[in-house]
Every structure is written in C-alpha cells, then in structure tokens.
C-alpha cells in the first residue's frame, strides 16, 4: 500500500536529513508517494510566504507530514514568525494533540517515552499587552487547560503505558504552585487511572523530574505532562540519551481527523548546513515513528534496530549505512 506523504524539508540541514529518511524508508521496502513542499524561513525571505490557508488545505489531504526543520539564522527572522506560522499552525489546525518523544539508550538502561500535551497550556496564545512600550507596560500569558484536552492526552498516555513491558505512567506537573491547572490535571489523571488498574502510576513535580532525569532516568516508562513542561523536559531527555542528533518526535492526531507530523527535535542548524555534518539519525527515527503510525510496524522496528550503534560519518554515509542495514 502506498502512503501519500507531504515532505517539508524546510531550511538548512532540514532537507539534508529528510533526504536520508526517505532513502531509508525506500530501502525498508515501504512504498512512499512523496510530495515536496517548499516552506520555511528561506521561502519567507524569498517571497513572503509562510504557510497559506490554501497550502494548509492541500496538506490536509495527505496521510502524514514528514518535516526536516524550519527556521533561519537566529536573529535574522522576526521571533516566532516561522514557529507559530508553520509548526504551531499545523499542531493547532490539524489538532495534533499528542507530542511523543521516545528516549532510548540501551546500554544505560534508558527506555521511556514522554507524552506532551501539544495544543493547549501556555502555547495556546492566550494573553496580550497593555500599555505596550510604556514604563507601565503589562504582558500576560495565560495557560489554557480544558478537561477535554487534558483527558484525551492522559488517556493516550495510559494506553501507551499499558502496551509496554513496563506498565508505568508518571504525571509531571507543578501542582503545588500552579494550583488551578495542576488540580485539573491531577483529577483527570486519577479518574482515568481508575480505568487502568494494571498500570502503575506516579507523580513528580517538574523540578524534581529534572533531577531524576539526570540521576535515575531508568525509573521511567511513560511520562505525561503539559505543553511547556514537556517542551523543556524533552530537551533534557535528549541531552541524557545520546544528544540532539538522535532525538526524534511526532505531533500526532490519534483520531486521524487530519494528518500527523513527524520531525526530528533539532532545528535547521545553519552553522553546519551544506557541510555533510548533520546527523540524520533523528530524522530517520522520526520516519520510523511515522511508519508505525501508518501501520508499517515491521519496517519501523527494522529501522529502529538499524539506528543502534551507527558509526560516525557524513550525513550521507550514515544514511547509506542505515539503508544498507534495513534492506
Ligand atoms: P539547532 O537545533 O538548529 O542547533 C543547535 C546546535 O545543535 C547547533 O550547534 C547545531 O549545529 C547542532 N545540531 C542540530 N542538529 C544537528 C544534527 N542533526 N546533527 C549534528 N548537529 C546538530 O538549534 P538553534 O541553533 O537554536 O536553531 C536554529 C534554527 O532552527 C532557528 O531558526 C530555530 O528557530 C530553528 N528550530 C527549528 C525547530 C523545528 O523545526 N522543529 C526546532 C528547533 C529550532
């Protein structure tokens, strides 16, 4: 069965790493019907286009979106323009409410996944300025937490925890200070937990979780957390499990009412673009999550196995070696 994939290579190393991901998927025998979309900071610099509603309508028709990285040289592009205009626009409008990031470092016994709520919290854009630019300026940034949004995320995390060998789910929040949002999260968590008696549950404050990530990451199987905490915690997760070159992610709409988007965690790395220095493994592992989501579990498993202990080399050397292993 052919999968219709919208490919957004993006900027700088983005197209370099997705090229290797496409190569590996082909080597794994998966039939990918790829359509490339020219989007990102460089496109915006050329003709002012970020991501039009017409292009969004077109993207809506694909089975999935495979993205490299978007963003220009820091400081050259207005802050938030590309992040909000492309990444957050897709997350919100395609209701990609689950952000999934796996962390695996077998030799250290690290094997857990973080489920981050992806459409609410402080990223929902609630807030504004009052008396901007004056000495009495006020800026507010609210956090939006709906029972529906929180519960569907927690439910997804419980299902994931139940499917794993270690059936354990840890809620991470800051319920002692963020008492309104924290209360809603904890209540929803406890109520859903009653439906999953086979899953061991736990709770950690975000600050404590940061310490445990460094000192004892082996304790986790699945973590569920809100948008902002998840954003920060998963970068720490990347740092303790092999670095930015290995960190993969998915922005998923599990209800499949719109396409999900799969991308490496790293950015467009203008500093190393065009030099063959970008590690494509994160993009290749993101392709593996995409294949699993599309029902190609066997190919996904083979790609994950092929990404272990890959020798250093240029971007294409690494892609070629992984492709050789999966074919
Ligand atoms: P970055 O992730 O692009 O780079 C940070 C550092 O990690 C750099 O030294 C870079 O060389 C290195 N690096 C990143 N990916 C690598 C890889 N695959 N292999 C080897 N080294 C790698 O972060 P940044 O420099 O803060 O951001 C650059 C641009 O990317 C900015 O415009 C930013 O907004 C954007 N960005 C986009 C995304 C995304 O598309 N999801 C994510 C983060 C940053």
């Amino acid at each position: 069965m052919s999968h219709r994939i919208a490919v957004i290579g993006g900027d700088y190393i983005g197209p370099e790493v997705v090229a290797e991901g496409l190569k590996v998927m082909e080597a794994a025998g998966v039939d990918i019907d790829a359509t490339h979309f020219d989007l990102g900071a460089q496109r915006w610099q050329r003709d002012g286009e970020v991501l039009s509603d017409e292009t969004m309508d077109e993207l809506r028709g694909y089975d999935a979106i495979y993205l490299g990285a978007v963003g220009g040289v820091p400081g050259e592009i207005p802050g938030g323009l590309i992040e909000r205009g492309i990444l957050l626009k897709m997350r919100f409008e395609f209701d990609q409410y689950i952000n999934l990031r796996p962390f695996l470092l077998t030799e250290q016994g690290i094997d857990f996944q973080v489920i981050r709520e992806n459409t609410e919290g402080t990223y929902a854009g609630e807030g504004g300025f009052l008396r901007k630019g004056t000495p009495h300026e006020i800026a507010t940034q609210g956090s939006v937490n709906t029972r529906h949004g929180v519960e569907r995320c927690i439910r997804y995390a419980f299902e994931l925890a139940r499917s794993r060998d270690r059936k354990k789910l840890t809620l991470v929040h800051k319920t002692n200070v963020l008492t309104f949002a924290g209360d809603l999260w904890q209540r929803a968590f406890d109520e859903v937990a009653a439906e999953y008696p086979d899953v061991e549950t736990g709770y950690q404050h975000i600050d404590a979780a940061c310490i445990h990530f460094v000192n004892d990451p082996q304790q986790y199987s699945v973590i569920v957390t809100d948008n902002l905490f998840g954003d920060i915690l998963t970068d720490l997760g990347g740092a303790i499990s092999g670095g930015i070159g290995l960190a993969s992610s998915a922005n998923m709409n599990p209800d499949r009412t719109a396409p999900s988007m799969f991308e490496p965690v790293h950015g467009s790395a203008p500093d190393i673009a065009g030099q063959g220095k970008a590690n494509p493994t994160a993009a290749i592992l993101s392709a593996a999550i995409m294949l699993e989501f599309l029902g190609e579990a066997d190919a996904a498993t083979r790609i994950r196995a092929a990404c272990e202990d890959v020798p250093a080399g240029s971007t294409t050397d690494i892609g070629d070696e992984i492709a050789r292993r999966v074919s």
Side-chain angles (χ1 to χ4, degrees), residues 261-307:
M261 197 255 282
F262 302 84
E263 55 164 344
V265 170
H266 63 73
S268 59
D271 55 328
I272 57 167
Q275 302 166 38
K277 287 184 183 168
N279 185 347
T281 310
I284 294 169
L285 287 168
S286 303
I289 312 176
M290 178 169 77
L291 293 184
E292 186 145 17
F293 189 79
L294 294 172
E296 300 278 0
D298 172 61
T301 304
R302 282 186 287 127
I303 291 173
R304 280 197 195 99
C307 287

Side-chain angles (χ1 to χ4, degrees), residues 279 281 306-314 317-319 321-322 324-325:
N279 185 347
T281 310
C307 287
E308 285 194 26
D309 304 320
V310 177
S314 72
D317 288 344
I318 296 173
E321 173 58 17
I322 296 172
R324 188 191 64 72
R325 292 179 182 187

Side-chain angles (χ1 to χ4, degrees), residues 101-173:
R101 296 193 185 176
F103 300 97
L104 182 66
L105 199 59
T106 314
E107 68 266 27
Q108 304 224 0
I110 296 176
D111 179 8
F112 66 90
Q113 306 209 5
V114 175
I115 300 299
R116 158 186 168 198
E117 201 294 316
N118 213 26
T119 56
E120 299 191 343
T122 41
Y123 290 43
E126 196 218 37
F129 292 107
L130 187 63
R131 299 192 285 268
K132 189 173 180 185
T134 73
H136 300 287
E137 176 168 353
I138 298 171
T140 62
Q141 193 89 51
S143 174
V144 175
N145 299 263
T146 69
R147 173 69 196 216
H148 169 71
V150 169
E151 183 171 327
R152 66 182 179 174
C153 175
I154 287 173
R155 206 167 274 287
Y156 183 92
F158 268 105
E159 285 292 329
L160 177 64
R162 173 174 272 176
S163 73
R164 288 168 61 86
D165 290 342
R166 278 177 73 209
K167 301 181 194 327
K168 182 178 175 192
L169 179 63
T170 308
L171 170 65
V172 171
H173 208 281

Side-chain angles (χ1 to χ4, degrees), residues 9 38 64 114 143 175 178 186 281:
D38 176 15
V114 175
S143 174
T175 54
L178 305 182
Q186 185 73 66
T281 310

